[in-house]
Amino acid sequence: MNNKHDVIIIGSGIGGLTTAAHLAKAGVKVLVLEQHSQPGGYFTSFKAKGYCFDGGIQACEDGGMFLATLKQLGILERVNPVKSRFALCLPDAFVELKQIEDLHRFYDRLILAFPHETAGLNQIRKDALEFCYMMEAMWKVPNPFFKSFPEIIAGYPEWIKNHGRHARGFGRFMELFHVPIHEYLSRFISDRDLINFISSMGYRGCPASFSMPFIYCLTDYYYPARGGMQAVSNALAEAIEGQGGRIVYNTLVDRILTDGGRAVGVHTQAGDSFHAKFIVNNGDAIRTYRHMLPSDVVPAAFRQKMESSRFSESVFLTYLGVDMPPDEIARAVGGCPHVIVMPDYRPGGYDDIENNPDYFRRSLLMVSVPTIHDPGCAPEGKSVVVLQSGAHIKFSDNWGITDGKRNAAYRDLKDKVADQLIANAERLIPGLSQKIELKLTASPHTHVRYTLNSDGATVGWTYNPHYTPFPGAKGLFGAGMFTPVKNLYQVGHWAMYPGGAPSGFMTGRMASLLIRARLKLGFLGR
């Protein structure tokens, strides 16, 4: 294989694939090296006994970026994403989320459950409503990274008419972007269980102005009409290869080669070396700075900032093949492919996710039923149900793992947790446990093995602004994309704050434009 390229991309997660697809479309010589046997990172699916499961992400938030990226790259019709509706299954109500105003039903129920906090909840409701419309305005603005100049000119008057007045709250949005949700809530309410309940709707410590608009965010998800989430990754991979790019699987990059403080290539675990003008890392940032780069090219202060920052939570997943027809389960979940089950208004243990042995009995649970969209994900007349709950890699003494080896204690604990989640899901789907034909599980350790994300982190760095390396506006605008090593860029959820799927599309686009400009100008020194 020719080992001289314009750009080498480490990892084929959604950020790496997006970067590579844009560059390949522009005629740049791209090589993608992926340690797994298929592309996608958290955007992957796998098959077992006739069932197809999404291994990580169960649907994708648009955020003005997902659909626009697919359209830019000419694969929108192929992926054919359809709206993927969410609902909340509260302890005493089922709330389908169709529009921002459905937020009122959520807070009305909270007031019934916590009448002594009525005044504070009404103030929080007011702020939440404001930030929902603020978030919608941000997502709907004609984005120059994803729109042509004529499209921006044509779309801006309509945006001003429909969303301009809500953008006036951006200053307060950014003010509370530095305040974790539990700190904000404590300004208005004192009931610890209520604070935990509202906070559990997002990642721990999530900025208040990013957490409160969760109602709007949950109305903005999409899912491929066929082929599961793997359809997104496969379409991007084919777009890359169709434009002359190369993707090599089962190839783990263990070192980034440097010369004079500049990235010049990569070395693989198999002993091969590849060279390029630019290196783009879509992999785990802490692994990169700790193990893949020479210590002398990373300034001590920068390395210390990385080492002292925290990772986001992981998730525990239970994959179920169920002997129930899709229409029967669809009726049980109100036709919504995703339902967030909140079994108890007093969840308890939310702020002790690592050590509380009963955490999963009362934790928030997301139930996803992809066969509502695509019955082909299961044998005829059967369904796929995926249960997902936030998890920590150190739960219950490192999940029972000793000396880095998975053992009987680990497998037994995974079964126990899965059964607890299934019991909670039966509040939504009666008789579920009696219809299970296949049960598979994935702990944070599973995510480490397949994605190499530290501690199985699902969105890169923690959402808590006190412990992330790139808080506030600088993180929001992709400060993590720039590394202290010349010609080395970071993309994906480690490069933007808060991380997630949209950050992969955004940083992938940003990195591709920057690299194209530098190649065109011949500016390779930085």
Side-chain angles (χ1 to χ4, degrees), residues 256-265 292-294 296-297 485-486 488:
I256 296 173
L257 306 178
T258 62
D259 183 12
R262 182 167 58 94
V264 296
M292 295 173 64
L293 284 166
D296 60 343
V297 302
V485 180
K486 296 176 181 179
L488 172 64

Side-chain angles (χ1 to χ4, degrees), residues 478-520:
M481 192 178 81
F482 300 94
T483 79
V485 180
K486 296 176 181 179
N487 296 347
L488 172 64
Y489 295 101
Q490 175 79 44
V491 296
H493 57 206
W494 296 98
M496 194 171 181
Y497 173 78
S503 63
F505 297 116
M506 176 58 83
T507 57
R509 180 60 170 157
M510 291 168 64
S512 69
L513 290 172
L514 180 58
I515 290 171
R516 283 172 56 193
R518 292 185 59 193
L519 285 170
K520 185 176 181 179

Side-chain angles (χ1 to χ4, degrees), residues 241-257:
E241 294 177 323
Q243 297 286 347
R246 296 291 304 273
I247 305 176
V248 182
Y249 300 104
N250 301 304
T251 302
L252 176 65
V253 173
D254 58 8
R255 280 188 289 131
I256 296 173
L257 306 178

